Amino acid sequence: MIVAMLGILKAGGAYVPLDPSYPYERLEWMLEDTGMKVMLTHSKMVGKIPRKNLEAICLDTFSLSDKDTKPASPVAPDMLAYVMYTSGPRVYLKV
């Protein structure tokens, strides 16, 4: 999990925790709201998360030979690192 989070940040992505126990409609809204394109998950969770226009990379089946190229996205200090959804207003945290 820690390695995946560091990889997300190094690639210039933002970490968005998704709880598969949330209602399907809420997860769908969160994915649309964030504009997420790629999701790191485990294969047993793939069917529980909406996947419209979303690539799922399963950490339990992924190997380095699948994608051995370095991400081209540069990382800057002002980039969003973490998005947390609560039952209240939206909260964006920057590192």
Side-chain angles (χ1 to χ4, degrees):
M1 178 72 172
I2 299 297
V3 172
M5 288 176 67
L6 289 173
I8 290 167
L9 297 174
K10 185 171 181 165
Y15 176 71
V16 181
L18 298 172
D19 186 341
S21 69
Y22 285 169
Y24 191 85
E25 295 79 18
R26 178 166 170 78
L27 291 170
E28 199 170 40
W29 176 82
M30 290 168 68
L31 292 171
E32 188 170 324
D33 188 55
T34 61
M36 190 181 303
K37 302 287 185 224
V38 178
M39 173 178 63
L40 296 181
T41 188
H42 288 275
S43 54
K44 67 180 181 179
M45 295 294 161
V46 170
K48 297 180 181 186
I49 306 285
R51 294 202 37 224
K52 185 168 79 172
N53 300 323
L54 181 66
E55 178 185 356
I57 297 175
C58 299
L59 295 173
D60 54 334
T61 60
F62 183 79
S63 75
L64 288 177
S65 62
D66 292 340
K67 306 239 183 208
D68 58 0
T69 58
K70 184 177 174 183
S73 177
V75 180
D78 62 341
M79 293 176 75
L80 188 66
Y82 187 85
V83 178
M84 176 59 118
Y85 285 88
T86 65
S87 58
R90 219 175 302 160
V91 177
Y92 295 103
L93 302 175
K94 286 191 176 186
V95 177

